[in-house]
Amino acid sequence: MDDKRRVCIIGAGPCGTSALFHFDQISNSSTEVVCYEKSDTWLGLWNLTWMTGTDKFGEPCHGGMYKHLWSNGPKEGLEYPDYTFTDHFGKAIPSFLPRPVIRDYLEGRLVRKSKSDLKRFIKWNTAVRYVRYNQKSDDFTVTTEDLKTGHTVDTNFTHVIVAVGIFNSPEKPYFDGMETFPGRILHSHDFRDATQFKGQRVLVVGAKYSAEDIALQCMKFGAKSIVVSYRSSPMNYNWPVGIEERPLVQKIQGKVVHFLDGSSTELDSIILSTGYKYKFPFMETSLRLTSSSTLYPSGLYKGSLWLQGGNRKLFYMGVQHQFFTFTMFDAQGLWIYRHITDTLSDKLKSCEEMKEEAHQWVQKCNSLKDIHEQIDFQADFIKDLSDGTGYPPDAPKANKFFHKWDNEKRANIVTYRDQQFKSLYSGTEAAQCSKPWFQNFDDSIGAFV
Ligand code: FAD
Ligand code: NAP
Ligand code: MG
C-alpha cells in the first residue's frame, strides 16, 4: 500500500492533462507521474496542423481539426467549475467559440490553476509503442520511442492511464466505383479548410456531428451545393438552401453518384464524414479496449477502469461518445487519481462487483431512446464519477444546456451558434456575438474576445 506508485499517462490532450492537473493538486511523495506525448505540444485535437496523412516524424497525423472550426456546443456546457470563462477572459464572451479561443481557455487553466509547472511531467515527441502487463511483478512495461532520435526505452509503471483520444483512426467505407471518381475523395480527418470546396458540388457521407458541421462549413465558405448521404436516418434539420439529404450511396460512375433511393447526381468532391474506429494498437491484446462509438463502452468500471486484465491498474479516459467533454474528462481524471491513491471506498469492491456495476450501466445505455435521454445519462455518469471524490457537484447540471442546444439546432441549424447561455458557476450571461456565425469569418482571439 505504501509502496511507491509510478503512474504513466499516455497522451497530453484535454484528458491526459486533466489527469495531470489532479495529480498535481493532490500529489504526494509516494506517487510519481510521467506523461508521454507524441507531439511537441499539449491539448491534442485543439491544435491545428496543415498536415494530413503522416506528420513530421512519419507518424499518423493525430488530429482531424480544421480551420474555422467553432465549438458545436455552448461553452457553458464544457466550463471548468474551478476556472470559469470569466476568470480567464475577465469579461463576458459569446457562448459558441472558435477553436483558438477554446484552446486559449484550456491552456489558461493548466497554467494558471496548477500548483506547479505541469509541462515538467511531460515527455514530448515520445510515442508509446507497447504496453504489457507483467503478472509476476504486478506492473506494466511501457515501451516508448523518442521520435527525434528513434531511441526506444522500456520503463516500468504500477499504473497506466490511456488518454490518446478516440478520433484518430478514420472509418473509411467503400462504395462501388469509387476509384472511377475523378474528383477528390477524403475523410473528414483530412479536412482542413472549407474554402477548398468553393464553387463545388460536394457529397458529404455520414449523419452525425462531422457531417453536419462540414456540410454547413462548406456552404458557409462558398460551396455550390451539398448532398448529405445517410446510412441509418437523415438528420432532418431545416437545412439552408443548397443542402439536401439523401439515403446512402449505392455506386459511383465517374462524376455521377447513385443513391439507394434510385436518384443520382453529378458531384465534384466527396467528404467521408463517417467517424472513427477505436484503435489502441500499442496495447497488448488483453489490455486493449475494442468498442464502437457509445456512451458506455463495456468492460470499464466507472467507464474508466479496465476489468479484463492489468489487475485493475489500467485506466482509459475519454472513450465515451461525447456531449459533455472537458468537465467529464476532468471528473474522470480526479476519480482515477483518487482511485490510484487509495482514497476511494470503492477500492474495496471485488472485481465481480465492479463487472456487475459496469454491466448495469451498459444495459441502461443500450435502452436509451433519444438524444435527451442520452444527455441525461451522461450527466448521471459524471455524477457517478464525482460522488465521493470532491469534484464540484454542479457539473452534471450542464445537461440543461445540452437539452436547450438540441432544441435550438432543431429550430434552426444555421443560427444555433448565435444563442446565449448563462454560466452555472459565475452566473455570467454570455455576450452576443458581433456577427452571426454564418457570416463571421474572423475566428481570431483578438477579434472574438
Ligand atoms: P485528443 O485531444 O485527441 O488528445 C490525445 C493526445 O494523445 C494527442 O495529443 C496525441 O498526440 C496523443 N497521443 C496519441 N497517441 C499517442 C501515443 N501512442 N503516444 C503518445 N501520445 C499519443 N469537443 C468539444 O467539446 N467541442 C467541440 O467543438 C469539439 N469539436 C471536435 C471536432 C473534431 C473534428 C473532433 C474530432 C473532436 C471534437 N471534439 C469537440 C471532441 C474532442 O474529442 C475533445 O474535445 C478532446 O479533444 C478529447 O481529448 P482527448 O485527450 O481524449 O484526445
Ligand atoms: P460519429 O459521431 O461516429 O458519426 C459517424 C457517422 O458516420 C454516423 O452518422 C454513421 O452512421 C456514419 N457511418 C459510419 N460508418 C459508415 C459507413 N460504413 N457507411 C455510411 N455511413 C457510415 O463521428 P463524427 O461525426 O466524425 O464525430 C466525431 C466527433 O467529432 C464528435 O465528438 C463530434 O462532436 C466532433 N465534431 C465536432 C465538430 C464541431 O463542430 N465542433 C465538428 C466535427 C466533429 P450511422 O448514423 O448509421 O451510425
Ligand atoms: Mg489526453
mmCIF file of all heavy atoms in Angstrom, residues 66 69-72 167 171 173 175 205-211 213 231-232 248 273-276 293 321-322 417, ligand 2:
data_model
loop_
_atom_site.group_PDB
_atom_site.id
_atom_site.type_symbol
_atom_site.label_atom_id
_atom_site.label_comp_id
_atom_site.label_asym_id
_atom_site.label_seq_id
_atom_site.Cartn_x
_atom_site.Cartn_y
_atom_site.Cartn_z
ATOM 1 N N TYR A 66 -9.950 21.359 -38.072
ATOM 2 C CA TYR A 66 -9.898 22.187 -39.275
ATOM 3 C C TYR A 66 -9.989 23.669 -38.958
ATOM 4 O O TYR A 66 -10.441 24.070 -37.889
ATOM 5 C CB TYR A 66 -10.970 21.789 -40.286
ATOM 6 C CG TYR A 66 -12.343 21.450 -39.761
ATOM 7 C CD1 TYR A 66 -13.339 22.410 -39.645
ATOM 8 C CD2 TYR A 66 -12.661 20.123 -39.435
ATOM 9 C CE1 TYR A 66 -14.613 22.078 -39.215
ATOM 10 C CE2 TYR A 66 -13.935 19.788 -38.993
ATOM 11 C CZ TYR A 66 -14.903 20.768 -38.888
ATOM 12 O OH TYR A 66 -16.166 20.433 -38.454
ATOM 13 N N LEU A 69 -13.079 26.058 -37.324
ATOM 14 C CA LEU A 69 -13.992 25.256 -36.514
ATOM 15 C C LEU A 69 -14.397 26.057 -35.285
ATOM 16 O O LEU A 69 -13.551 26.628 -34.598
ATOM 17 C CB LEU A 69 -13.344 23.941 -36.071
ATOM 18 C CG LEU A 69 -14.234 23.075 -35.171
ATOM 19 C CD1 LEU A 69 -14.212 21.612 -35.623
ATOM 20 C CD2 LEU A 69 -13.870 23.173 -33.698
ATOM 21 N N TRP A 70 -15.687 26.107 -35.068
ATOM 22 C CA TRP A 70 -16.226 26.662 -33.826
ATOM 23 C C TRP A 70 -16.774 25.491 -33.032
ATOM 24 O O TRP A 70 -17.281 24.527 -33.616
ATOM 25 C CB TRP A 70 -17.384 27.625 -34.103
ATOM 26 C CG TRP A 70 -17.008 28.934 -34.704
ATOM 27 C CD1 TRP A 70 -16.008 29.177 -35.604
ATOM 28 C CD2 TRP A 70 -17.669 30.186 -34.479
ATOM 29 N NE1 TRP A 70 -15.995 30.510 -35.945
ATOM 30 C CE2 TRP A 70 -17.010 31.147 -35.276
ATOM 31 C CE3 TRP A 70 -18.742 30.584 -33.684
ATOM 32 C CZ2 TRP A 70 -17.391 32.494 -35.289
ATOM 33 C CZ3 TRP A 70 -19.129 31.913 -33.702
ATOM 34 C CH2 TRP A 70 -18.449 32.862 -34.495
ATOM 35 N N SER A 71 -16.710 25.589 -31.717
ATOM 36 C CA SER A 71 -17.274 24.529 -30.887
ATOM 37 C C SER A 71 -18.729 24.313 -31.287
ATOM 38 O O SER A 71 -19.450 25.260 -31.576
ATOM 39 C CB SER A 71 -17.181 24.916 -29.419
ATOM 40 O OG SER A 71 -17.796 23.908 -28.662
ATOM 41 N N ASN A 72 -19.138 23.046 -31.315
ATOM 42 C CA ASN A 72 -20.533 22.769 -31.665
ATOM 43 C C ASN A 72 -21.437 22.724 -30.434
ATOM 44 O O ASN A 72 -22.631 22.523 -30.549
ATOM 45 C CB ASN A 72 -20.653 21.487 -32.499
ATOM 46 C CG ASN A 72 -20.079 20.279 -31.793
ATOM 47 O OD1 ASN A 72 -19.487 20.403 -30.735
ATOM 48 N ND2 ASN A 72 -20.256 19.116 -32.381
ATOM 49 N N PHE A 167 -10.669 9.778 -31.789
ATOM 50 C CA PHE A 167 -10.964 10.260 -33.141
ATOM 51 C C PHE A 167 -9.687 10.321 -33.980
ATOM 52 O O PHE A 167 -9.360 11.340 -34.575
ATOM 53 C CB PHE A 167 -11.661 11.628 -33.078
ATOM 54 C CG PHE A 167 -12.909 11.622 -32.243
ATOM 55 C CD1 PHE A 167 -13.068 12.483 -31.174
ATOM 56 C CD2 PHE A 167 -13.947 10.731 -32.540
ATOM 57 C CE1 PHE A 167 -14.229 12.476 -30.410
ATOM 58 C CE2 PHE A 167 -15.113 10.713 -31.775
ATOM 59 C CZ PHE A 167 -15.248 11.587 -30.706
ATOM 60 N N GLU A 171 -12.815 5.814 -40.087
ATOM 61 C CA GLU A 171 -13.632 4.733 -40.647
ATOM 62 C C GLU A 171 -13.865 5.086 -42.118
ATOM 63 O O GLU A 171 -14.467 6.113 -42.420
ATOM 64 C CB GLU A 171 -14.968 4.696 -39.876
ATOM 65 C CG GLU A 171 -15.968 3.671 -40.334
ATOM 66 C CD GLU A 171 -15.534 2.260 -39.991
ATOM 67 O OE1 GLU A 171 -15.205 2.005 -38.820
ATOM 68 O OE2 GLU A 171 -15.520 1.430 -40.921
ATOM 69 N N PRO A 173 -15.557 3.813 -45.442
ATOM 70 C CA PRO A 173 -16.394 2.860 -46.172
ATOM 71 C C PRO A 173 -16.020 2.822 -47.653
ATOM 72 O O PRO A 173 -15.447 3.776 -48.179
ATOM 73 C CB PRO A 173 -17.802 3.428 -45.998
ATOM 74 C CG PRO A 173 -17.606 4.879 -45.770
ATOM 75 C CD PRO A 173 -16.280 5.038 -45.074
ATOM 76 N N PHE A 175 -17.502 2.370 -51.542
ATOM 77 C CA PHE A 175 -18.673 2.327 -52.422
ATOM 78 C C PHE A 175 -18.210 1.920 -53.812
ATOM 79 O O PHE A 175 -17.161 2.400 -54.287
ATOM 80 C CB PHE A 175 -19.370 3.695 -52.462
ATOM 81 C CG PHE A 175 -19.832 4.148 -51.110
ATOM 82 C CD1 PHE A 175 -19.180 5.191 -50.444
ATOM 83 C CD2 PHE A 175 -20.902 3.520 -50.474
ATOM 84 C CE1 PHE A 175 -19.594 5.603 -49.181
ATOM 85 C CE2 PHE A 175 -21.307 3.923 -49.202
ATOM 86 C CZ PHE A 175 -20.657 4.968 -48.555
ATOM 87 N N VAL A 205 -20.714 12.194 -46.762
ATOM 88 C CA VAL A 205 -21.312 10.931 -46.311
ATOM 89 C C VAL A 205 -21.249 10.884 -44.785
ATOM 90 O O VAL A 205 -20.188 11.139 -44.208
ATOM 91 C CB VAL A 205 -20.575 9.705 -46.900
ATOM 92 C CG1 VAL A 205 -21.275 8.399 -46.486
ATOM 93 C CG2 VAL A 205 -20.492 9.807 -48.416
ATOM 94 N N GLY A 206 -22.380 10.533 -44.124
ATOM 95 C CA GLY A 206 -22.421 10.494 -42.660
ATOM 96 C C GLY A 206 -23.568 11.353 -42.165
ATOM 97 O O GLY A 206 -24.079 12.216 -42.906
ATOM 98 N N ALA A 207 -23.995 11.108 -40.934
ATOM 99 C CA ALA A 207 -25.170 11.818 -40.433
ATOM 100 C C ALA A 207 -25.032 12.198 -38.964
ATOM 101 O O ALA A 207 -26.000 12.162 -38.204
ATOM 102 C CB ALA A 207 -26.409 10.957 -40.655
ATOM 103 N N LYS A 208 -23.797 12.541 -38.568
ATOM 104 C CA LYS A 208 -23.608 12.996 -37.187
ATOM 105 C C LYS A 208 -22.896 14.349 -37.215
ATOM 106 O O LYS A 208 -23.020 15.097 -38.172
ATOM 107 C CB LYS A 208 -22.827 11.954 -36.394
ATOM 108 C CG LYS A 208 -23.621 10.660 -36.176
ATOM 109 C CD LYS A 208 -24.347 10.641 -34.860
ATOM 110 C CE LYS A 208 -25.356 9.501 -34.754
ATOM 111 N NZ LYS A 208 -24.759 8.169 -34.845
ATOM 112 N N TYR A 209 -22.104 14.618 -36.160
ATOM 113 C CA TYR A 209 -21.603 15.983 -35.989
ATOM 114 C C TYR A 209 -20.627 16.427 -37.071
ATOM 115 O O TYR A 209 -20.655 17.585 -37.490
ATOM 116 C CB TYR A 209 -20.996 16.144 -34.597
ATOM 117 C CG TYR A 209 -22.024 15.910 -33.538
ATOM 118 C CD1 TYR A 209 -21.999 14.772 -32.749
ATOM 119 C CD2 TYR A 209 -23.075 16.807 -33.370
ATOM 120 C CE1 TYR A 209 -22.985 14.541 -31.808
ATOM 121 C CE2 TYR A 209 -24.066 16.582 -32.430
ATOM 122 C CZ TYR A 209 -24.016 15.447 -31.652
ATOM 123 O OH TYR A 209 -24.994 15.213 -30.727
ATOM 124 N N SER A 210 -19.740 15.528 -37.516
ATOM 125 C CA SER A 210 -18.797 15.944 -38.568
ATOM 126 C C SER A 210 -19.550 16.238 -39.849
ATOM 127 O O SER A 210 -19.290 17.246 -40.515
ATOM 128 C CB SER A 210 -17.755 14.856 -38.837
ATOM 129 O OG SER A 210 -16.875 14.742 -37.758
ATOM 130 N N ALA A 211 -20.474 15.352 -40.211
ATOM 131 C CA ALA A 211 -21.223 15.537 -41.457
ATOM 132 C C ALA A 211 -22.003 16.847 -41.409
ATOM 133 O O ALA A 211 -21.969 17.670 -42.335
ATOM 134 C CB ALA A 211 -22.175 14.359 -41.664
ATOM 135 N N ASP A 213 -21.482 19.499 -39.486
ATOM 136 C CA ASP A 213 -20.678 20.714 -39.435
ATOM 137 C C ASP A 213 -19.923 20.952 -40.740
ATOM 138 O O ASP A 213 -19.786 22.100 -41.176
ATOM 139 C CB ASP A 213 -19.695 20.668 -38.257
ATOM 140 C CG ASP A 213 -19.154 22.063 -37.955
ATOM 141 O OD1 ASP A 213 -19.989 22.972 -37.764
ATOM 142 O OD2 ASP A 213 -17.938 22.258 -37.954
ATOM 143 N N ARG A 231 -26.697 6.733 -43.664
ATOM 144 C CA ARG A 231 -26.844 5.280 -43.633
ATOM 145 C C ARG A 231 -28.103 4.866 -42.879
ATOM 146 O O ARG A 231 -28.919 4.132 -43.399
ATOM 147 C CB ARG A 231 -25.612 4.656 -42.970
ATOM 148 C CG ARG A 231 -25.706 3.149 -42.806
ATOM 149 C CD ARG A 231 -24.412 2.564 -42.292
ATOM 150 N NE ARG A 231 -24.105 3.005 -40.932
ATOM 151 C CZ ARG A 231 -23.028 2.600 -40.256
ATOM 152 N NH1 ARG A 231 -22.153 1.779 -40.833
ATOM 153 N NH2 ARG A 231 -22.808 3.031 -39.023
ATOM 154 N N SER A 232 -28.258 5.365 -41.638
ATOM 155 C CA SER A 232 -29.386 4.908 -40.809
ATOM 156 C C SER A 232 -30.591 5.833 -40.938
ATOM 157 O O SER A 232 -31.680 5.386 -41.268
ATOM 158 C CB SER A 232 -28.989 4.843 -39.341
ATOM 159 O OG SER A 232 -27.809 4.114 -39.202
ATOM 160 N N LEU A 248 -28.113 6.389 -48.510
ATOM 161 C CA LEU A 248 -26.707 6.052 -48.724
ATOM 162 C C LEU A 248 -26.356 5.903 -50.206
ATOM 163 O O LEU A 248 -27.201 5.564 -51.040
ATOM 164 C CB LEU A 248 -26.393 4.741 -47.989
ATOM 165 C CG LEU A 248 -24.911 4.486 -47.706
ATOM 166 C CD1 LEU A 248 -24.258 5.620 -46.942
ATOM 167 C CD2 LEU A 248 -24.732 3.179 -46.955
ATOM 168 N N SER A 273 -17.592 11.643 -43.922
ATOM 169 C CA SER A 273 -17.648 12.075 -42.520
ATOM 170 C C SER A 273 -18.238 10.919 -41.725
ATOM 171 O O SER A 273 -19.292 11.028 -41.107
ATOM 172 C CB SER A 273 -18.496 13.339 -42.410
ATOM 173 O OG SER A 273 -17.930 14.341 -43.229
ATOM 174 N N THR A 274 -17.529 9.806 -41.808
ATOM 175 C CA THR A 274 -18.075 8.528 -41.354
ATOM 176 C C THR A 274 -17.469 8.064 -40.037
ATOM 177 O O THR A 274 -17.524 6.873 -39.702
ATOM 178 C CB THR A 274 -17.866 7.462 -42.458
ATOM 179 O OG1 THR A 274 -16.535 7.634 -43.005
ATOM 180 C CG2 THR A 274 -18.860 7.642 -43.581
ATOM 181 N N GLY A 275 -16.910 8.978 -39.294
ATOM 182 C CA GLY A 275 -16.472 8.653 -37.936
ATOM 183 C C GLY A 275 -15.162 7.883 -37.884
ATOM 184 O O GLY A 275 -14.379 7.885 -38.840
ATOM 185 N N TYR A 276 -14.969 7.236 -36.728
ATOM 186 C CA TYR A 276 -13.646 6.682 -36.402
ATOM 187 C C TYR A 276 -13.758 5.284 -35.819
ATOM 188 O O TYR A 276 -14.788 4.901 -35.269
ATOM 189 C CB TYR A 276 -12.962 7.607 -35.389
ATOM 190 C CG TYR A 276 -12.682 8.976 -35.986
ATOM 191 C CD1 TYR A 276 -13.649 9.983 -35.984
ATOM 192 C CD2 TYR A 276 -11.472 9.230 -36.609
ATOM 193 C CE1 TYR A 276 -13.412 11.220 -36.572
ATOM 194 C CE2 TYR A 276 -11.218 10.471 -37.194
ATOM 195 C CZ TYR A 276 -12.178 11.459 -37.177
ATOM 196 O OH TYR A 276 -11.939 12.672 -37.762
ATOM 197 N N SER A 293 -18.487 3.513 -31.232
ATOM 198 C CA SER A 293 -18.827 4.725 -30.512
ATOM 199 C C SER A 293 -20.074 4.515 -29.643
ATOM 200 O O SER A 293 -21.127 4.140 -30.130
ATOM 201 C CB SER A 293 -19.071 5.852 -31.522
ATOM 202 O OG SER A 293 -19.444 7.014 -30.833
ATOM 203 N N HIS A 321 -18.630 8.396 -26.163
ATOM 204 C CA HIS A 321 -19.218 9.342 -27.106
ATOM 205 C C HIS A 321 -19.529 10.615 -26.307
ATOM 206 O O HIS A 321 -19.968 10.538 -25.173
ATOM 207 C CB HIS A 321 -20.487 8.709 -27.698
ATOM 208 C CG HIS A 321 -21.289 9.643 -28.537
ATOM 209 N ND1 HIS A 321 -20.994 9.878 -29.856
ATOM 210 C CD2 HIS A 321 -22.357 10.406 -28.245
ATOM 211 C CE1 HIS A 321 -21.857 10.758 -30.343
ATOM 212 N NE2 HIS A 321 -22.688 11.082 -29.387
ATOM 213 N N GLN A 322 -19.295 11.785 -26.921
ATOM 214 C CA GLN A 322 -19.219 12.988 -26.084
ATOM 215 C C GLN A 322 -20.298 14.046 -26.344
ATOM 216 O O GLN A 322 -20.352 14.622 -27.427
ATOM 217 C CB GLN A 322 -17.821 13.611 -26.285
ATOM 218 C CG GLN A 322 -16.715 12.707 -25.776
ATOM 219 C CD GLN A 322 -15.349 12.923 -26.434
ATOM 220 O OE1 GLN A 322 -15.133 13.933 -27.104
ATOM 221 N NE2 GLN A 322 -14.444 11.983 -26.247
ATOM 222 N N ARG A 417 -25.689 28.625 -33.198
ATOM 223 C CA ARG A 417 -24.459 29.129 -32.577
ATOM 224 C C ARG A 417 -24.546 30.623 -32.228
ATOM 225 O O ARG A 417 -23.595 31.185 -31.678
ATOM 226 C CB ARG A 417 -23.262 28.895 -33.488
ATOM 227 C CG ARG A 417 -22.765 27.449 -33.506
ATOM 228 C CD ARG A 417 -21.492 27.363 -34.324
ATOM 229 N NE ARG A 417 -20.794 26.104 -34.175
ATOM 230 C CZ ARG A 417 -20.766 25.138 -35.106
ATOM 231 N NH1 ARG A 417 -21.411 25.273 -36.241
ATOM 232 N NH2 ARG A 417 -20.080 24.029 -34.908
HETATM 233 P P1 NAP B 2 -19.592 9.800 -35.401
HETATM 234 O O1 NAP B 2 -20.343 10.547 -34.392
HETATM 235 O O2 NAP B 2 -19.071 8.467 -35.046
HETATM 236 O O3 NAP B 2 -20.541 9.637 -36.686
HETATM 237 C C1 NAP B 2 -20.193 8.843 -37.785
HETATM 238 C C2 NAP B 2 -21.272 8.918 -38.853
HETATM 239 O O4 NAP B 2 -20.814 8.188 -39.990
HETATM 240 C C3 NAP B 2 -22.597 8.295 -38.436
HETATM 241 O O5 NAP B 2 -23.674 9.017 -38.961
HETATM 242 C C4 NAP B 2 -22.529 6.910 -39.072
HETATM 243 O O6 NAP B 2 -23.770 6.384 -39.492
HETATM 244 C C5 NAP B 2 -21.751 7.196 -40.332
HETATM 245 N N1 NAP B 2 -21.055 5.993 -40.822
HETATM 246 C C6 NAP B 2 -20.150 5.233 -40.167
HETATM 247 N N2 NAP B 2 -19.748 4.211 -40.944
HETATM 248 C C7 NAP B 2 -20.424 4.332 -42.110
HETATM 249 C C8 NAP B 2 -20.454 3.582 -43.281
HETATM 250 N N3 NAP B 2 -19.703 2.476 -43.409
HETATM 251 N N4 NAP B 2 -21.253 3.992 -44.287
HETATM 252 C C9 NAP B 2 -22.025 5.091 -44.143
HETATM 253 N N5 NAP B 2 -22.053 5.852 -43.048
HETATM 254 C C10 NAP B 2 -21.255 5.469 -42.029
HETATM 255 O O7 NAP B 2 -18.328 10.651 -35.914
HETATM 256 P P2 NAP B 2 -18.200 12.207 -36.247
HETATM 257 O O8 NAP B 2 -19.445 12.756 -36.794
HETATM 258 O O9 NAP B 2 -16.946 12.307 -37.036
HETATM 259 O O10 NAP B 2 -17.970 12.896 -34.818
HETATM 260 C C11 NAP B 2 -16.776 12.691 -34.080
HETATM 261 C C12 NAP B 2 -16.569 13.758 -33.020
HETATM 262 O O11 NAP B 2 -16.169 14.980 -33.600
HETATM 263 C C13 NAP B 2 -17.785 14.106 -32.165
HETATM 264 O O12 NAP B 2 -17.397 14.155 -30.822
HETATM 265 C C14 NAP B 2 -18.198 15.475 -32.643
HETATM 266 O O13 NAP B 2 -18.813 16.233 -31.636
HETATM 267 C C15 NAP B 2 -16.880 16.057 -33.044
HETATM 268 N N6 NAP B 2 -17.008 17.138 -34.059
HETATM 269 C C16 NAP B 2 -17.287 18.429 -33.672
HETATM 270 C C17 NAP B 2 -17.366 19.440 -34.612
HETATM 271 C C18 NAP B 2 -17.641 20.858 -34.231
HETATM 272 O O14 NAP B 2 -18.386 21.498 -34.877
HETATM 273 N N7 NAP B 2 -17.074 21.399 -33.224
HETATM 274 C C19 NAP B 2 -17.204 19.153 -35.938
HETATM 275 C C20 NAP B 2 -16.918 17.855 -36.311
HETATM 276 C C21 NAP B 2 -16.822 16.852 -35.370
HETATM 277 P P3 NAP B 2 -24.950 5.907 -38.521
HETATM 278 O O15 NAP B 2 -25.666 7.191 -38.221
HETATM 279 O O16 NAP B 2 -25.683 4.964 -39.345
HETATM 280 O O17 NAP B 2 -24.263 5.299 -37.346
#
